[in-house]
Amino acid sequence: FRKPLDGVTHYILHRGEQTEAPENSVPAFEMAGRNGAEFVETDVRETADGVLVVSHDDSLLRMCGEDRLISEMTYEEIKQYPIINGRNASQYPDNLIPTLEQYLQCCNKYSMTPVIEIKSNLNQNGVAKFNQIIKKSRKSPVVISFKEEPLIMLRQINRTVSIQWILRDQITSAALNECVRYKFDISAQYGCTYRNIIAKAHSKNIKVALWLFTDSSIADCYKNWGADYLTCERMM
């Protein structure tokens, strides 16, 4: 058994309680809070008029049935298309795509730690606005992204926020060196991450976040290997 860097493995609920309500919606975040989630993950994109909204996809097609790009719509336009797909969607008829601020209000209400994935290629103004909004979180948020540029810009204006750089493939030595340089932690798929890689990251004081678990016995294995964060599809 290995220990995580701060002694405890944290479980992150992916896109809210999506087994009971549509993913990345206020009802899904509310349900996560009521069910006692400690950390809840979401995805953030920028609208055409610079509003930061919660959506995994770049288009409204899958969740709202409207084949249009979020980046090309204003927030007022997006509000015309409620979420019609996802678990129990019909029970929430006026379920609109939330803003980043609405998600944070929900996290504050239930004392959940926000885990926010930046999906858009935010420019410096976008990153500055994002940084101002996350200051409204009562719990210190965790900011994650596959995109390194906005994370570097965020680190330059916020020295203390917890940042995780997400990799599509195995955690390499070069990636760990990059994390040391910018004071990032690292996030990767559990299937290509092994015990020795977690130990190597820890030796450089880098926390390791792994995704995406659906099986609690597999999650337990990585917990025993000392993973710092485990992102799960449901409460474990």
Side-chain angles (χ1 to χ4, degrees):
F1 293 112
R2 290 184 174 274
K3 286 231 165 161
L5 279 183
D6 65 3
V8 60
T9 297
H10 299 292
Y11 289 83
I12 301 171
L13 187 61
H14 191 232
R15 304 182 201 170
E17 189 63 273
Q18 54 177 307
T19 59
E20 298 185 44
E23 66 173 56
N24 274 334
S25 68
V26 170
F29 300 138
E30 288 269 340
M31 204 76 71
R34 287 203 288 272
N35 290 346
E38 182 193 10
F39 286 69
V40 65
E41 185 262 359
T42 198
D43 307 279
V44 168
R45 293 183 178 276
E46 191 174 30
T47 66
D49 55 340
V51 178
L52 294 170
V53 296
V54 166
S55 174
H56 173 270
D57 300 0
D58 61 355
S59 155
L60 295 185
L61 182 61
R62 181 171 64 96
M63 298 306 292
C64 305
E66 180 69 13
D67 193 7
R68 292 179 67 188
L69 293 176
I70 287 171
S71 61
E72 295 175 1
M73 301 173 73
T74 66
Y75 178 56
E76 287 303 313
E77 287 177 306
I78 287 168
K79 288 200 302 192
Q80 294 170 27
Y81 303 99
I83 296 168
I84 56 171
N85 292 315
R87 186 61 62 92
N88 299 326
S90 60
Q91 293 180 23
Y92 308 101
D94 300 313
N95 191 14
L96 301 179
I97 285 186
T99 62
L100 174 57
E101 302 202 29
Q102 287 167 331
Y103 157 78
L104 290 174
Q105 286 165 3
C106 199
C107 290
N108 286 342
K109 179 178 174 182
Y110 293 100
S111 284
M112 297 185 290
T113 298
V115 180
I116 308 162
E117 181 176 343
I118 297 174
K119 287 287 190 184
S120 297
N121 289 309
L122 296 179
N123 61 21
Q124 266 181 310
N125 285 342
V127 171
K129 182 171 48 191
F130 175 87
N131 188 50
Q132 285 305 116
I133 293 173
I134 64 172
K135 287 178 180 173
K136 297 175 183 177
S137 176
R138 295 208 185 109
K139 296 281 183 100
S140 296
V142 180
V143 179
I144 69 178
S145 189
F146 286 98
K147 301 175 188 300
E148 195 185 7
E149 281 308 306
L151 296 181
I152 292 172
M153 285 191 273
L154 180 62
R155 176 55 80 221
Q156 285 166 346
I157 59 172
N158 189 329
R159 302 302 299 169
T160 58
V161 67
S162 177
I163 294 177
Q164 295 173 3
W165 182 30
I166 316 174
L167 303 184
R168 297 200 181 277
D169 302 306
Q170 201 169 335
I171 297 171
T172 60
S173 295
L176 291 177
N177 290 340
E178 198 75 349
C179 288
V180 169
R181 181 179 176 191
Y182 293 110
K183 224 175 100 198
F184 293 164
D185 294 316
I186 201 122
S187 176
Q189 296 181 59
Y190 74 80
C192 57
T193 308
Y194 305 99
R195 190 182 344 204
N196 62 325
I197 295 175
I198 296 171
K200 187 174 180 182
H202 284 175
S203 73
K204 297 176 181 289
N205 210 35
I206 297 166
K207 292 180 181 176
V208 177
L210 298 173
W211 45 275
L212 182 65
F213 294 92
T214 55
D215 183 321
S216 57
S217 60
I218 297 174
D220 286 345
C221 169
Y222 283 87
K223 180 182 179 182
N224 292 338
W225 286 357
D228 301 273
Y229 299 91
L230 304 176
T231 298
C232 307
E233 281 285 15
R234 54 183 173 79
M235 297 281 287
M236 288 189 185

